[in-house]
Amino acid sequence: MAAGKPKKKNPRLASGRKRARQDVALNAANTSLRSKYRTSVKNVEKAVLAGDKTKAQAAFAIMQSVVDNVADKGIFHKNKAARDKSRLSAKLKAMTQAAA
């Protein structure tokens, strides 16, 4: 037998079948939001490492709204979102002060 996820049994009750159908859609939506969150954070980090001040500030503005939106939906904890925003803000601030 191949190593992997065990096959799930089909629910017998109609409510269980509906729940399984809904879980597929919810899982896809959550995965998409999680990916969007991580991508927006990485975009800011890349811009900071490249030293591109204007691009970093623009990416940070976009990242803030994405992070808040995802945290409000409960995909990531609000404290994680705040921690990520704080750390990236500090990197951005350090970059701008070093350039000045």
Side-chain angles (χ1 to χ4, degrees), residues 6-80:
K7 190 175 181 212
K8 293 185 179 179
K9 295 181 181 178
N10 288 332
R12 290 179 184 220
L13 299 178
S15 60
R17 289 194 299 269
K18 181 178 179 181
R19 182 80 249 166
R21 283 196 312 270
Q22 288 175 330
D23 285 344
V24 171
L26 285 169
N27 191 337
N30 289 347
T31 301
S32 173
L33 286 171
R34 203 174 298 117
S35 174
K36 190 175 184 180
Y37 180 103
R38 291 176 177 150
T39 301
S40 65
V41 169
K42 285 178 188 174
N43 287 341
V44 176
E45 289 175 343
K46 284 180 187 176
V48 168
L49 285 175
D52 191 349
K53 181 180 170 183
T54 56
K55 190 174 181 181
Q57 287 176 331
F60 184 76
I62 294 168
M63 185 271 310
Q64 280 183 307
S65 67
V66 170
V67 165
D68 286 337
N69 188 12
V70 171
D72 286 342
K73 292 183 179 185
I75 309 301
F76 284 113
H77 198 278
K78 286 183 184 281
N79 289 0
K80 175 182 170 42

